[in-house]
Amino acid sequence: MADATVSCLFCRIIRGEVPARKIREDEHVFAFEDINPQAPTHVLVVPKKHVAGLKEAQSEDAELIGRCQLAAAEIARERKIEHGYRTVLNVGPGAGQSVFHLHVHLLGGRHLSWPPG
Ligand code: 5GP
Ligand code: ZN
C-alpha cells in the first residue's frame, strides 16, 4: 500500500519539503500560517502524525486532537485575540475539507458571524 505521508501536503510541510510560515512546533504538533487567510489570524494546527481527518481518527488519536486545540488556544492568547476566535475542523469535501491531513483552523482578529457558511 502506498505511504500516504509521502505525497501529503501537510506531511511535506512538517518535513520542510514545502515552505510554510511556521509559528511553532513541539514533539506532537506543528502550526503554520494558512496560505490563503480568511481572517487576520488564520493559523493551521496539525498533528505531526498523519491522520487523514476527524472521521478517520481513532481513540488513540484523542490526545493529539486535544493538543491541536490547546496549541490553537495558546496561539490565540499570544495573538491577543481572546475576545473571540474560532477553531474549526472541516470534515469531508462537503464541508470544505481539501487537505486530507487533520488540521484545526484558528480564525480570529475580526468579527465571526454565526452560523458559519
Ligand atoms: P481545508 O479546506 O482542508 O479545511 O483547509 C485546508 C487549508 O489549507 C486551506 O485553508 C488552504 O488555504 C490551506 N492550504 C492549502 N495549501 C496550502 C499550502 O501549500 N500552504 C499553506 N500554508 N496552507 C495551504
Ligand atoms: Zn499528512
Side-chain angles (χ1 to χ4, degrees):
M1 199 179 89
D3 180 355
T5 69
V6 173
S7 58
C8 170
L9 175 62
F10 289 172
C11 285
R12 298 190 69 206
I13 286 176
I14 293 164
R15 287 195 297 265
E17 296 169 8
V18 171
R21 291 173 58 199
K22 182 172 100 174
I23 295 165
R24 61 157 64 194
E25 103 176 267
D26 65 20
E27 190 186 342
H28 303 285
V29 166
F30 193 98
F32 54 101
E33 303 281 356
D34 196 291
I35 204 168
N36 182 24
Q38 302 301 311
T41 287
H42 188 171
V43 171
L44 300 173
V45 187
V46 307
K48 286 188 169 175
K49 175 188 172 187
H50 178 85
V51 178
L54 188 63
K55 65 186 156 74
E56 289 81 10
Q58 305 290 310
S59 57
E60 72 212 38
D61 301 317
E63 185 185 330
L64 265 185
I65 295 166
R67 285 181 182 275
C68 289
Q69 295 282 0
L70 289 173
E74 283 178 21
I75 295 164
R77 198 168 303 131
E78 286 167 9
R79 299 268 177 112
K80 303 191 188 323
I81 57 167
E82 287 186 294
H83 171 70
Y85 65 85
R86 192 166 289 159
T87 66
V88 176
L89 268 157
N90 292 327
V91 184
Q97 187 179 1
S98 60
V99 177
F100 292 87
H101 180 129
L102 190 149
H103 49 282
V104 172
H105 294 257
L106 167 64
L107 294 153
R110 65 166 168 81
H111 175 73
L112 297 168
S113 58
W114 188 261

